Amino acid sequence: MKMFGQLTADKAGYAKKDRKGRQEILCILGVFQKMHELDIKPNVVTFSAILNACSRCNSFEDASMLLEELRLFDNQVYGVAHGLLMGYRGNVWVKAQSLFDEVKQMDCSTASAFYNALTDMLWHFGQKKGAQLVVLEGKRRNVWDNAWSNSRLDLHLMSSGAARAMVHAWLLNIHSIVYQGQQLPNLLRMGQAQQSSRRQCLETSS
């Protein structure tokens, strides 16, 4: 009986959490509808906030539904995000390149926040290939200054999802260097900021 009661309570908790998640989605859509009526154009900060909200959705389906609805307001940004979330199909990467060109015009912190938010959402819902493509594109466009070299990876400006995707891509690059018979540096260093703003470094002798 005690176990049955616990299961019932857990089920009720999940249902409550699901209702709260759906209410948040409706709230976001309501805000965007009002912005549209007032002819207020969302900016990159707004997009980053929405992508962060997607990462907190209770399910892949909820995140997909939110982005699908938001495409009515801005098909470029949310069309790209939705396309990457659905698995990198069609010409979504061509559209993503155009979007990244626009983001490049922003200041570094704004651009970094956008890449972090997009990568977090993709990594959270298991689209690891898409997440790695995004962080590598960010690296190519110098979104995170001096973040990557063959001997050093600096993660202190990256979100959790972006850092994980970058570490994975960096280790694949190290593997490729070894596979090709090239010599690794004597020291590999990986750094990430702590709450005290000091970097925690992992050093490995090759």
Side-chain angles (χ1 to χ4, degrees):
M1 287 296 292
K2 183 180 288 188
M3 184 179 293
F4 178 76
Q6 182 63 43
L7 289 172
T8 303
D10 289 345
K11 186 175 181 180
Y14 292 142
K16 184 177 180 180
K17 183 178 179 181
D18 186 61
R19 284 196 301 271
K20 183 179 179 181
R22 295 298 174 92
Q23 288 173 353
E24 289 177 351
I25 290 174
L26 292 175
C27 181
I28 291 170
L29 293 175
V31 169
F32 262 72
Q33 180 65 43
K34 193 66 175 178
M35 292 175 69
H36 182 70
E37 291 172 359
L38 297 174
D39 200 27
I40 300 174
K41 185 174 177 61
N43 56 23
V44 174
V45 176
T46 312
F47 301 147
S48 299
I50 293 299
L51 293 173
N52 281 323
C54 285
S55 297
R56 296 194 299 272
C57 284
N58 293 332
S59 66
F60 176 92
E61 289 74 20
D62 283 352
S64 176
M65 181 185 74
L66 176 56
L67 292 174
E68 184 69 35
E69 292 292 333
L70 290 174
R71 290 177 66 181
L72 299 174
F73 301 102
D74 192 315
N75 188 48
Q76 182 188 20
V77 174
Y78 299 111
V80 166
H82 184 265
L84 291 173
L85 179 64
M86 298 306 291
Y88 184 59
R89 293 193 289 246
N91 64 341
V92 65
W93 192 246
V94 176
K95 295 178 179 178
Q97 293 289 328
S98 177
L99 173 60
F100 296 150
D101 286 341
E102 291 189 19
V103 174
K104 189 176 181 179
Q105 307 304 317
M106 309 295 174
D107 63 89
C108 291
S109 61
T110 303
S112 176
F114 178 82
Y115 276 85
N116 282 335
L118 179 57
T119 310
D120 273 350
M121 181 196 69
L122 295 174
W123 190 270
H124 178 73
F125 289 111
Q127 295 296 352
K128 293 182 170 60
K129 179 181 178 181
Q132 289 176 49
L133 286 171
V134 171
V135 294
L136 288 175
E137 188 65 24
K139 165 187 170 290
R140 188 178 74 83
R141 293 172 181 265
N142 295 316
V143 172
W144 303 284
D145 287 338
N146 302 315
W148 173 309
S149 72
N150 287 343
S151 63
R152 176 176 173 272
L153 186 63
D154 188 345
L155 307 173
H156 84 281
L157 294 177
M158 298 179 193
S159 62
S160 174
R164 293 178 186 183
M166 189 67 90
V167 167
H168 195 271
W170 187 66
L171 291 176
L172 286 176
N173 180 66
I174 295 297
H175 178 271
S176 177
I177 291 173
V178 173
Y179 185 78
Q180 293 171 11
Q182 301 177 32
Q183 187 173 0
L184 283 175
N186 291 327
L187 190 68
L188 300 179
R189 176 175 294 180
M190 190 185 304
Q192 185 173 14
Q194 295 178 313
Q195 289 182 350
S196 61
S197 299
R198 293 177 302 175
R199 296 182 190 177
Q200 179 182 15
C201 293
L202 173 65
E203 299 182 354
T204 305
S205 297
S206 60

